[in-house]
Amino acid sequence: MKSILFMIPNLGHGGAEKVLVNLVNHMDHSKFNITVMTLYDEGVNKQFLADGITYKSCLNRSFPGIAHMLKLLTPKQLYRCFVKEHYDVAISYLEGQTARIISGCDDPNTKKLCWIHRTYCSKKDAARLFRSEREAQQCYDSFDKIVSVSADVQTAFMNLFLLNDKGVVLYNTNQSDYILQAAEKPVPDNLFKKDEIKLCAMGSLIPVKGFDRLISIHRRLRADGYPVHTYILGEGSEKEKLVSQIAESKVNDSVTLLGYQANPYCYMTHCDLFVCSSFSEGFSTATTEALILGVPVITTQVSGMRELLGQNCEYGVITENDEVALYQGLRTLIQSPEKLKCYREKAVERGKIFCTENTVCAVEELLFSLP
């Protein structure tokens, strides 16, 4: 049995945290002894870890200045401080802080992997949580494999760190059967109205998700006479700003912030269209879940969307990554019920590719292939 350590900053409500829990829960526990270690003992997804998975944390919580404090220690010192047991494979499931820690493992019998979940445009950005760009290069050089969640993410990362011989692309794990079952659960009465065009978006309420521009687009669509109602699932640091924007735009009755929902799928499945308004993504978990549910997708051009929706947009609509283009794409779809119906059928077809079994097997095969 292989002993596997997955390390991640926390198990909050972000996409990477969610798909890590999905992955470890569905791996073959008769072949892998799995430990999930968080740098900070925080996050709603901790409760969803399956029985038989060992959970550990390094620090009770994060606090201002902790990132700078961690840089005072070398990667080797951090690894020895936080990881006290031997593992056959040690994995940083996110770039940055935990990648720096896992890179400090000097046990020749431990294989080291790092997952990359986002697209980096500069080496400076990718090295933000390291002492320097040089240290970041040395740390990533030390990994046996660099796993990217999409081809776009891999290309961008390899262009910065020149580690092509170590790169592999593996898609995120979603609980496809559970998603479909959970979608059948009831929602609050009178939440969805038959005479409205229901738009859905989901993700952490942070600037990169572009929910502010989605609200601006919503206001413009309403002004144009389209009876749209936008539902946004998620929590985050931008919530108060979004609430203020909704009030100032006078769309309180047609934009609903649903907050964090343990079961977002029963809400998503009632919607006519899923919108990804992000400025940047790695491989959008929420978009994958929408496809599994058969909800038509329109998205800005961000990493991973061609892999999700097809190189020629056979399975959904991809617009330029700006507010005007997304508005025009939404308006065109809203005006064409036949297109929406077609994309709904295509979404169901595409969602089957990202079933749980396929993505978990790919990870297990990689782990077994390590010499």
Side-chain angles (χ1 to χ4, degrees):
M1 181 181 289
K2 277 184 176 283
S3 59
I4 312 292
L5 171 68
F6 288 92
M7 192 174 193
I8 193 167
N10 61 55
L11 286 176
H13 50 259
E17 294 80 1
K18 187 176 184 180
V19 296
L20 172 59
V21 172
N22 292 341
L23 172 61
V24 297
N25 284 354
H26 288 89
M27 288 175 64
D28 189 336
H29 295 176
S30 69
K31 297 177 180 178
F32 299 99
N33 182 11
I34 299 170
T35 297
V36 172
M37 178 180 289
T38 57
L39 185 53
Y40 311 109
D41 189 16
E42 302 167 336
V44 296
N45 275 299
K46 182 172 69 172
Q47 63 186 306
F48 301 121
L49 286 170
D51 293 340
I53 294 171
T54 301
Y55 173 78
K56 297 180 179 181
S57 63
C58 305
L59 303 168
N60 288 333
R61 60 182 178 84
S62 59
F63 52 86
I66 181 61
H68 294 290
M69 291 177 63
L70 291 175
K71 290 181 186 179
L72 297 175
L73 299 176
T74 66
K76 187 179 295 186
Q77 288 171 329
L78 288 169
Y79 190 86
R80 290 178 177 176
C81 176
F82 294 137
V83 185
K84 299 178 174 62
E85 297 181 11
H86 166 78
Y87 296 94
D88 296 317
V89 184
I91 299 169
S92 172
Y93 201 69
L94 270 175
E95 56 283 316
Q97 285 182 317
T98 54
R100 187 169 182 266
I101 294 169
I102 295 299
S103 73
C105 175
D106 58 1
D107 185 341
N109 295 314
T110 298
K111 297 298 179 181
K112 297 183 293 185
L113 279 67
C114 183
W115 250 254
I116 309 299
H117 283 266
R118 55 166 289 199
T119 303
Y120 287 98
C121 298
S122 70
K123 203 167 187 178
K124 180 180 179 181
D125 184 26
R128 185 174 56 86
L129 294 171
F130 295 83
R131 288 178 175 176
S132 64
E133 292 180 21
R134 180 183 178 186
E135 186 193 60
Q137 181 73 58
Q138 291 171 340
C139 287
Y140 287 119
D141 275 337
S142 75
F143 285 98
D144 295 282
K145 292 290 182 183
I146 302 290
V147 181
S148 298
V149 297
S150 77
D152 290 335
V153 168
Q154 182 185 56
T155 298
F157 193 81
M158 295 307 171
N159 284 344
L160 296 176
F161 290 96
L162 304 178
L163 300 168
N164 290 297
D165 58 320
K166 298 183 179 184
V168 60
V169 174
L170 294 176
Y171 296 135
N172 288 334
T173 296
N174 295 277
Q175 294 178 286
S176 48
D177 289 344
Y178 169 76
I179 289 171
L180 293 170
Q181 292 169 5
E184 298 176 1
K185 301 293 183 182
V187 296
D189 293 338
N190 302 318
L191 181 62
F192 298 105
K193 298 177 182 178
K194 292 182 179 180
D195 58 347
E196 292 180 328
I197 300 167
K198 295 170 280 293
L199 311 180
C200 175
M202 182 166 68
S204 298
L205 306 185
I206 53 178
V208 73
K209 296 298 182 181
F211 291 132
D212 55 343
R213 64 177 173 179
L214 177 57
I215 292 169
S216 295
I217 290 168
H218 171 95
R219 179 194 58 76
R220 188 172 174 184
L221 289 170
R222 293 287 295 191
D224 290 342
Y226 298 106
V228 293
H229 193 128
T230 299
Y231 299 86
I232 300 176
L233 292 138
E235 291 286 349
S237 60
E238 293 288 292
K239 183 174 182 178
E240 289 187 10
K241 288 184 180 179
L242 296 178
V243 169
S244 296
Q245 182 185 359
I246 291 167
E248 291 168 4
S249 301
K250 298 180 180 179
V251 290
N252 302 69
D253 59 342
S254 60
V255 176
T256 302
L257 300 181
L258 290 168
Y260 169 78
Q261 299 289 334
N263 175 13
Y265 314 115
C266 57
Y267 298 92
M268 293 173 69
T269 196
H270 280 84
C271 292
D272 300 297
L273 192 57
F274 178 85
V275 185
C276 174
S277 55
S278 295
F279 290 95
S280 177
E281 288 282 346
F283 194 76
S284 173
T285 300
T287 300
T288 311
E289 292 169 339
L291 292 174
I292 291 169
L293 290 169
V295 180
V297 171
I298 181 170
T299 176
T300 51
Q301 174 56 60
V302 290
S303 293
M305 289 304 179
R306 294 287 177 187
E307 288 164 87
L308 281 165
L309 302 179
Q311 291 300 317
N312 298 309
C313 301
E314 303 96 311
Y315 303 98
V317 176
I318 302 174
T319 74
E320 293 298 318
N321 199 334
D322 65 68
E323 186 173 316
V324 173
L326 184 57
Y327 158 76
Q328 291 173 339
L330 270 166
R331 188 180 63 179
T332 299
L333 274 179
I334 289 169
Q335 290 173 335
S336 180
E338 286 302 313
K339 279 188 178 181
L340 270 181
K341 181 181 177 183
C342 176
Y343 280 124
R344 184 172 292 277
E345 294 169 355
K346 287 292 187 179
V348 173
E349 179 185 341
R350 191 62 165 176
K352 293 176 181 177
I353 293 178
F354 303 101
C355 70
T356 308
E357 182 180 358
N358 289 347
T359 54
V360 172
C361 283
V363 174
E364 291 182 337
E365 287 175 4
L366 172 65
L367 295 176
F368 277 125
S369 72
L370 298 171

